[in-house]
Amino acid sequence: MNPIHRLGQKAAALALGATVIVSSLAIAAPVMAAGPYTLTVSPATVNTTPGGSFSVDVVGTTITPDSISGVTASLTWTGGLTLTGITKGADWVAAGAGALGFPSVANTATFIAAANAAGKIPALGFSFLDGSSNLVGAHTVFTATFTAGTCGAAVTFGLPLGPSDGGMLDGDAANYAGTIIPTATGGTVNNPCATPPPAPTPTPVPTPTPTLAPANGSVTVTGTLDAGFLALQCPTALTIPLVRNATNVKDFSCVVFSNITWNLNVQDPSATHKGHMVDGAKVLTASMHVVNTGVPTDVDLATGGNVAAGANSVTQALQLQQFVNPSDPSGSYGITLTFQALSTF
């Protein structure tokens, strides 16, 4: 193995962000590996739609004969996504490596909520503790599952490197557990907005046969105006994070296709607990609100109402707001909303 890829003896878990006791042995400062050590996001490009679910793997790779005895990786994103799940890399688990940074089952929901708030999955990884085991080739560190948000600009995945983020440990016997900083390559999520359907072509009005005007020179002018068109496109599903003692928000958009004036109305059609998120018999104390921050307009779903008004085709930015009281019981809550675009003439 090229010596530039191996740094101080037994630097091990320091580069991986684990807590260990380290002797007074001097450790060389890590440098970026120029060779076969890489951290990548796979697939590098994801194409999705608003509300769509997808997964990406964070993969650590070496090229034979180079090997590693440990790896960690952090994953960042630039917004527009909601993390919903984390899975450990199967190859590292099967090989008996110790897991670093992964949440317990009981703490997974809190871990995911914190990651969504920060736009970052903190360092997760694995390390062999027997002083000899290693892996060669491409192996998944962890798999992250996301739900796409409102359509728009592409989202970028990043793999930061450093003592509290991404790194590797040498697996070669001559420098086992020496610190390596790999080359990192992120990824992209494309979530483009749908192209509005073309406006319908009006039915042509037959041109009447010209007739001579009356002797007094008066002319009768007539015309026919169609009824116009009105259509609505909203996300079919949204996920809002629920954190106690806070007003939780979720941004989204509805697209109104029209050549007339209209109101955008929202209602909760439920006969019971109208406007409230429920989980069976459990009900959140505070009702949900739909807010148009541009006007602004705030519709309490306990009553419903018009959240926007306009004319012609518009992409209407909206926001869900849900306050969670400290006394609200835990659960998987849901609510169904009905949006309607209504003609105002």
Side-chain angles (χ1 to χ4, degrees), residues 16-65:
L16 293 175
T19 301
V20 296
I21 298 174
V22 182
S23 71
S24 59
L25 177 66
I27 299 174
V31 297
M32 187 71 70
Y37 303 94
T38 62
L39 283 174
T40 57
V41 175
S42 179
T45 301
V46 176
N47 296 313
T48 187
T49 56
S53 178
F54 65 91
S55 297
V56 294
D57 296 329
V58 175
V59 181
T61 302
T62 68
I63 299 175
T64 305

Side-chain angles (χ1 to χ4, degrees), residues 93-159:
V93 172
L100 303 173
F102 287 94
S104 65
V105 173
N107 292 332
T108 296
T110 300
F111 179 92
I112 288 176
N116 280 320
K120 178 180 179 179
I121 298 172
L124 303 175
F126 296 89
S127 178
F128 290 112
L129 305 178
D130 58 5
S132 60
S133 295
N134 58 47
L135 287 180
V136 178
H139 303 280
T140 296
V141 183
F142 62 84
T143 299
T145 301
F146 294 89
T147 298
T150 304
C151 66
V155 176
T156 300
F157 282 128
L159 293 169

Side-chain angles (χ1 to χ4, degrees), residues 184-262:
T185 304
T188 302
V189 179
N190 296 315
N191 184 12
C193 295
T195 302
T201 303
T203 302
V205 178
T207 303
T209 302
T211 59
L212 294 176
N216 59 10
S218 63
V219 178
T220 300
V221 179
T222 62
T224 300
L225 178 63
D226 63 25
F229 66 93
L230 183 59
L232 178 65
Q233 182 183 58
C234 291
T236 58
L238 295 169
T239 300
I240 185 171
L242 295 178
V243 179
R244 290 184 175 87
N245 300 310
T247 298
N248 303 275
V249 300
K250 177 66 178 181
D251 294 312
F252 67 104
S253 296
C254 287
V255 182
V256 180
F257 306 103
S258 180
N259 64 353
I260 61 175
T261 58
W262 45 265

Side-chain angles (χ1 to χ4, degrees), residues 9 13 18 26 44 65 87 89 135 146 181 185 201 204 213 236 261 268 287 315 317 319:
Q9 272 299 358
T87 304
L135 287 180
F146 294 89
I181 298 181
T185 304
T201 303
T236 58
T261 58
D268 175 8
S287 59
T315 298
Q319 186 181 80

